[in-house]
Short mmCIF file of all heavy atoms in Angstrom, two decimals:
data_model
loop_
_atom_site.label_atom_id
_atom_site.label_comp_id
_atom_site.label_asym_id
_atom_site.label_seq_id
_atom_site.Cartn_x
_atom_site.Cartn_y
_atom_site.Cartn_z
N GLN A 36 -0.63 -2.92 -12.22
CA GLN A 36 -0.12 -2.15 -13.35
C GLN A 36 -0.51 -0.68 -13.21
O GLN A 36 0.30 0.21 -13.47
CB GLN A 36 -0.67 -2.71 -14.68
CG GLN A 36 -0.13 -1.98 -15.90
CD GLN A 36 1.39 -2.09 -16.02
OE1 GLN A 36 1.92 -3.19 -16.09
NE2 GLN A 36 2.08 -0.96 -16.04
N GLU A 37 -1.73 -0.43 -12.78
CA GLU A 37 -2.17 0.95 -12.57
C GLU A 37 -1.33 1.62 -11.47
O GLU A 37 -0.97 2.80 -11.59
CB GLU A 37 -3.66 0.97 -12.20
CG GLU A 37 -4.27 2.35 -12.23
CD GLU A 37 -5.77 2.34 -11.98
OE1 GLU A 37 -6.44 1.31 -12.26
OE2 GLU A 37 -6.27 3.36 -11.49
N ALA A 38 -0.98 0.87 -10.44
CA ALA A 38 -0.13 1.42 -9.38
C ALA A 38 1.23 1.82 -9.93
O ALA A 38 1.73 2.92 -9.64
CB ALA A 38 0.03 0.40 -8.25
N VAL A 39 1.83 0.97 -10.73
CA VAL A 39 3.13 1.27 -11.34
C VAL A 39 3.02 2.52 -12.21
O VAL A 39 3.86 3.43 -12.13
CB VAL A 39 3.66 0.07 -12.16
CG1 VAL A 39 4.90 0.45 -12.95
CG2 VAL A 39 3.93 -1.12 -11.25
N ASP A 40 1.97 2.58 -13.02
CA ASP A 40 1.77 3.74 -13.91
C ASP A 40 1.59 5.03 -13.13
O ASP A 40 2.18 6.06 -13.47
CB ASP A 40 0.55 3.52 -14.83
CG ASP A 40 0.76 2.37 -15.81
OD1 ASP A 40 1.92 1.95 -16.02
OD2 ASP A 40 -0.25 1.89 -16.36
N LEU A 41 0.80 4.98 -12.07
CA LEU A 41 0.55 6.19 -11.26
C LEU A 41 1.82 6.66 -10.54
O LEU A 41 2.08 7.86 -10.47
CB LEU A 41 -0.58 5.95 -10.27
CG LEU A 41 -1.98 5.91 -10.88
CD1 LEU A 41 -3.01 5.42 -9.85
CD2 LEU A 41 -2.38 7.29 -11.40
N VAL A 42 2.61 5.73 -10.03
CA VAL A 42 3.87 6.11 -9.37
C VAL A 42 4.82 6.76 -10.36
O VAL A 42 5.55 7.69 -10.02
CB VAL A 42 4.52 4.89 -8.68
CG1 VAL A 42 5.96 5.18 -8.27
CG2 VAL A 42 3.70 4.47 -7.45
N GLY A 43 4.77 6.31 -11.61
CA GLY A 43 5.61 6.90 -12.64
C GLY A 43 5.21 8.33 -13.00
O GLY A 43 6.04 9.10 -13.48
N LYS A 44 3.94 8.68 -12.76
CA LYS A 44 3.43 10.00 -13.16
C LYS A 44 3.22 10.97 -12.01
O LYS A 44 3.15 12.17 -12.24
CB LYS A 44 2.08 9.83 -13.89
CG LYS A 44 2.17 9.13 -15.23
CD LYS A 44 0.85 9.16 -15.96
CE LYS A 44 -0.15 8.22 -15.32
NZ LYS A 44 -1.34 7.95 -16.13
N ASN A 45 3.07 10.47 -10.79
CA ASN A 45 2.69 11.31 -9.66
C ASN A 45 3.64 11.12 -8.48
O ASN A 45 4.36 10.13 -8.40
CB ASN A 45 1.26 10.96 -9.19
CG ASN A 45 0.24 11.14 -10.29
OD1 ASN A 45 0.07 12.22 -10.82
ND2 ASN A 45 -0.43 10.05 -10.65
N GLU A 46 3.59 12.08 -7.56
CA GLU A 46 4.39 11.99 -6.34
C GLU A 46 3.53 11.43 -5.21
O GLU A 46 2.46 11.96 -4.92
CB GLU A 46 4.91 13.37 -5.94
CG GLU A 46 6.03 13.88 -6.82
CD GLU A 46 7.29 13.03 -6.72
OE1 GLU A 46 7.67 12.64 -5.59
OE2 GLU A 46 7.90 12.76 -7.77
N TYR A 47 4.02 10.37 -4.59
CA TYR A 47 3.37 9.79 -3.42
C TYR A 47 4.41 9.67 -2.31
O TYR A 47 5.60 9.55 -2.57
CB TYR A 47 2.79 8.40 -3.73
CG TYR A 47 1.74 8.42 -4.81
CD1 TYR A 47 2.04 8.04 -6.11
CD2 TYR A 47 0.45 8.85 -4.53
CE1 TYR A 47 1.08 8.09 -7.10
CE2 TYR A 47 -0.52 8.90 -5.52
CZ TYR A 47 -0.20 8.51 -6.81
OH TYR A 47 -1.15 8.56 -7.80
N ASP A 48 3.92 9.66 -1.08
CA ASP A 48 4.79 9.48 0.07
C ASP A 48 4.82 8.03 0.54
O ASP A 48 5.71 7.64 1.30
CB ASP A 48 4.32 10.39 1.22
CG ASP A 48 4.40 11.85 0.84
OD1 ASP A 48 5.52 12.34 0.63
OD2 ASP A 48 3.34 12.49 0.72
N LEU A 49 3.83 7.24 0.07
CA LEU A 49 3.70 5.85 0.53
C LEU A 49 2.75 5.12 -0.40
O LEU A 49 1.83 5.74 -0.95
CB LEU A 49 3.13 5.83 1.95
CG LEU A 49 2.77 4.48 2.57
CD1 LEU A 49 4.03 3.73 2.99
CD2 LEU A 49 1.86 4.65 3.76
N VAL A 50 2.95 3.81 -0.56
CA VAL A 50 2.01 2.96 -1.27
C VAL A 50 1.53 1.87 -0.31
O VAL A 50 2.35 1.21 0.34
CB VAL A 50 2.65 2.30 -2.52
CG1 VAL A 50 1.65 1.38 -3.22
CG2 VAL A 50 3.17 3.36 -3.49
N LEU A 51 0.22 1.71 -0.23
CA LEU A 51 -0.38 0.55 0.46
C LEU A 51 -0.73 -0.44 -0.64
O LEU A 51 -1.59 -0.17 -1.48
CB LEU A 51 -1.64 0.97 1.23
CG LEU A 51 -1.39 1.85 2.45
CD1 LEU A 51 -2.71 2.37 3.02
CD2 LEU A 51 -0.62 1.09 3.52
N MET A 52 -0.03 -1.57 -0.67
CA MET A 52 -0.09 -2.49 -1.81
C MET A 52 -0.79 -3.79 -1.46
O MET A 52 -0.25 -4.62 -0.71
CB MET A 52 1.34 -2.79 -2.28
CG MET A 52 1.45 -3.70 -3.47
SD MET A 52 0.87 -2.97 -5.01
CE MET A 52 2.21 -1.83 -5.35
N ASP A 53 -1.99 -3.98 -2.01
CA ASP A 53 -2.65 -5.27 -1.90
C ASP A 53 -1.81 -6.27 -2.69
O ASP A 53 -1.24 -5.94 -3.73
CB ASP A 53 -4.07 -5.18 -2.48
CG ASP A 53 -4.86 -6.46 -2.33
OD1 ASP A 53 -4.58 -7.24 -1.40
OD2 ASP A 53 -5.78 -6.68 -3.13
N ILE A 54 -1.70 -7.47 -2.22
CA ILE A 54 -0.85 -8.45 -2.88
C ILE A 54 -1.58 -9.19 -3.99
O ILE A 54 -1.05 -9.39 -5.07
CB ILE A 54 -0.26 -9.44 -1.84
CG1 ILE A 54 0.62 -8.69 -0.84
CG2 ILE A 54 0.54 -10.54 -2.53
CD1 ILE A 54 1.76 -7.89 -1.43
N LYS A 55 -2.83 -9.58 -3.73
CA LYS A 55 -3.60 -10.33 -4.74
C LYS A 55 -4.48 -9.35 -5.53
O LYS A 55 -5.51 -8.90 -5.04
CB LYS A 55 -4.49 -11.37 -4.06
CG LYS A 55 -3.74 -12.37 -3.23
CD LYS A 55 -3.16 -13.47 -4.07
CE LYS A 55 -2.63 -14.58 -3.20
NZ LYS A 55 -1.30 -15.01 -3.57
N MET A 56 -4.05 -9.03 -6.76
CA MET A 56 -4.81 -8.11 -7.62
C MET A 56 -4.79 -8.62 -9.06
O MET A 56 -3.87 -9.34 -9.44
CB MET A 56 -4.21 -6.70 -7.58
CG MET A 56 -4.46 -5.97 -6.29
SD MET A 56 -3.92 -4.25 -6.39
CE MET A 56 -2.14 -4.44 -6.54
N PRO A 57 -5.77 -8.19 -9.85
CA PRO A 57 -5.78 -8.58 -11.26
C PRO A 57 -4.72 -7.79 -12.06
O PRO A 57 -4.15 -6.84 -11.55
CB PRO A 57 -7.19 -8.20 -11.71
CG PRO A 57 -7.60 -7.09 -10.80
CD PRO A 57 -6.93 -7.39 -9.48
N VAL A 58 -4.52 -8.20 -13.29
CA VAL A 58 -3.61 -7.59 -14.26
C VAL A 58 -2.15 -7.79 -13.85
O VAL A 58 -1.38 -8.42 -14.56
CB VAL A 58 -3.91 -6.10 -14.52
CG1 VAL A 58 -2.97 -5.54 -15.59
CG2 VAL A 58 -5.36 -5.89 -14.91
N MET A 59 -1.76 -7.24 -12.69
CA MET A 59 -0.42 -7.44 -12.14
C MET A 59 -0.56 -7.51 -10.63
O MET A 59 -1.16 -6.64 -10.02
CB MET A 59 0.50 -6.28 -12.52
CG MET A 59 1.91 -6.41 -11.95
SD MET A 59 2.92 -4.92 -12.20
CE MET A 59 3.03 -4.87 -13.97
N GLY A 60 0.00 -8.55 -10.03
CA GLY A 60 -0.08 -8.72 -8.58
C GLY A 60 0.77 -7.70 -7.85
O GLY A 60 1.64 -7.04 -8.42
N GLY A 61 0.55 -7.60 -6.56
CA GLY A 61 1.24 -6.62 -5.75
C GLY A 61 2.73 -6.84 -5.61
O GLY A 61 3.50 -5.89 -5.51
N LEU A 62 3.17 -8.11 -5.61
CA LEU A 62 4.61 -8.36 -5.47
C LEU A 62 5.35 -7.89 -6.71
O LEU A 62 6.40 -7.24 -6.61
CB LEU A 62 4.87 -9.85 -5.21
CG LEU A 62 4.31 -10.40 -3.89
CD1 LEU A 62 4.61 -11.89 -3.78
CD2 LEU A 62 4.85 -9.63 -2.70
N GLU A 63 4.84 -8.21 -7.89
CA GLU A 63 5.47 -7.76 -9.13
C GLU A 63 5.43 -6.23 -9.23
O GLU A 63 6.42 -5.60 -9.61
CB GLU A 63 4.78 -8.39 -10.34
CG GLU A 63 5.46 -8.04 -11.66
CD GLU A 63 4.79 -8.67 -12.87
OE1 GLU A 63 3.89 -9.51 -12.72
OE2 GLU A 63 5.17 -8.28 -13.99
N ALA A 64 4.28 -5.65 -8.86
CA ALA A 64 4.15 -4.18 -8.91
C ALA A 64 5.16 -3.53 -7.95
O ALA A 64 5.76 -2.51 -8.28
CB ALA A 64 2.73 -3.77 -8.55
N THR A 65 5.35 -4.12 -6.77
CA THR A 65 6.31 -3.59 -5.81
C THR A 65 7.71 -3.57 -6.41
O THR A 65 8.43 -2.57 -6.31
CB THR A 65 6.29 -4.42 -4.51
OG1 THR A 65 5.01 -4.25 -3.88
CG2 THR A 65 7.38 -3.99 -3.55
N LYS A 66 8.11 -4.67 -7.03
CA LYS A 66 9.44 -4.74 -7.65
C LYS A 66 9.61 -3.64 -8.70
O LYS A 66 10.65 -2.97 -8.76
CB LYS A 66 9.66 -6.11 -8.28
CG LYS A 66 9.82 -7.22 -7.26
CD LYS A 66 9.91 -8.58 -7.95
CE LYS A 66 9.91 -9.69 -6.91
NZ LYS A 66 9.81 -11.01 -7.54
N LYS A 67 8.59 -3.44 -9.53
CA LYS A 67 8.66 -2.42 -10.59
C LYS A 67 8.70 -1.01 -10.01
O LYS A 67 9.45 -0.15 -10.48
CB LYS A 67 7.50 -2.59 -11.57
CG LYS A 67 7.61 -3.84 -12.42
CD LYS A 67 6.47 -3.92 -13.41
CE LYS A 67 6.56 -5.17 -14.26
NZ LYS A 67 7.66 -5.17 -15.21
N ILE A 68 7.90 -0.77 -8.98
CA ILE A 68 7.89 0.56 -8.34
C ILE A 68 9.24 0.84 -7.70
O ILE A 68 9.76 1.96 -7.80
CB ILE A 68 6.74 0.65 -7.31
CG1 ILE A 68 5.40 0.73 -8.06
CG2 ILE A 68 6.93 1.85 -6.37
CD1 ILE A 68 4.18 0.58 -7.18
#
Side-chain angles (χ1 to χ4, degrees):
Q36 183 61 58
E37 192 175 334
V39 172
D40 294 344
L41 285 170
V42 167
K44 293 187 287 193
N45 301 300
E46 287 295 318
Y47 299 101
D48 298 295
L49 174 75
V50 178
L51 291 172
M52 181 70 73
D53 184 26
I54 298 303
K55 301 279 190 227
M56 288 188 293
V58 182
M59 179 188 296
L62 296 178
E63 184 180 351
T65 294
K66 290 175 187 172
K67 290 182 181 291
I68 288 170

